[in-house]
Amino acid sequence: RWPGRKRDSAAGLRHPRHFGDVATVAFTDGSSQDVHAGQGISGFVGGQLRLHPLSPWSARVTAGYKYVTTKASNADIGLGRVPLEFIGSYRFDNGARVGSGLVYHTAIKLNGDGFFEDVKFKDAVGFRVEAGWRWILLSYAGLDYKARNGGGSTDASSVGINLIVGF
């Protein structure tokens, strides 16, 4: 804990594992690579608020950019999106913490870089649960992406390791 501090800023990196596929990219050497909806690395910034300096309860809001690319050397094929998170959490005296809240992904776009038509997805709302100790968290986010052109949906859920830095 940071006694006497009511507001904290947060920044970090995430590297989640994935569930649903949004594309399979074929390469000239005969290999292929799946682009998974939940996969990617993200950077984010935000703020955390505790109503009382000694309270174990806090609320955190973050915004960032999440991106995954392919191994293509002649194209920038990838999935980008802007995640917003609204998380309530409880911190135990031993430094452990748990939290949950809402996630909102917007500006979701699969960039085909001229090799295939770009695919835009509708904004997505889901949930997030997390548990960790001090500055490291294990999280699960559950949400689905739906293509704007009326196509089906894909599971964009992910499990991630989160590093949080407060200052």
Side-chain angles (χ1 to χ4, degrees):
R1 275 185 226 216
W2 297 304
R5 300 216 25 210
K6 293 183 181 178
R7 293 190 182 125
D8 302 313
S9 296
L13 291 175
R14 299 188 184 147
H15 182 57
R17 303 310 283 157
H18 46 77
F19 296 97
D21 295 338
V22 292
T24 299
V25 180
F27 300 102
T28 56
D29 67 0
S31 66
S32 65
Q33 181 179 359
D34 293 329
V35 178
H36 305 284
Q39 186 178 16
I41 191 163
S42 63
F44 61 96
V45 295
Q48 181 171 285
L49 174 66
R50 277 184 284 198
L51 295 178
H52 186 275
L54 299 178
S55 175
W57 294 100
S58 64
R60 185 176 74 243
V61 176
T62 60
Y65 188 74
K66 184 174 180 178
Y67 185 75
V68 63
T69 189
T70 65
K71 66 179 184 176
S73 61
N74 60 344
D76 184 19
I77 298 171
L79 179 65
R81 57 275 204 208
V82 175
L84 306 171
E85 299 178 343
F86 309 91
I87 308 296
S89 62
Y90 184 89
R91 185 182 293 234
F92 297 92
D93 288 335
N94 65 0
R97 63 170 149 184
V98 294
S100 65
L102 292 175
V103 293
Y104 178 79
H105 286 195
T106 188
I108 309 163
K109 180 182 171 187
L110 176 63
N111 178 21
D113 200 22
F115 286 90
F116 58 87
E117 188 175 327
D118 292 351
V119 179
K120 293 183 179 181
F121 295 86
K122 296 177 182 179
D123 293 353
V125 177
F127 68 94
R128 175 182 161 111
V129 292
E130 60 186 32
W133 184 76
R134 298 192 189 258
W135 50 269
I136 188 165
L137 297 170
L138 179 64
S139 65
Y140 172 80
L143 66 163
D144 290 329
Y145 290 167
K146 294 180 180 145
R148 287 189 180 177
N149 65 3
S153 66
T154 189
D155 184 1
S157 301
S158 63
V159 174
I161 296 174
N162 305 265
L163 305 176
I164 296 179
V165 179
F167 47 92

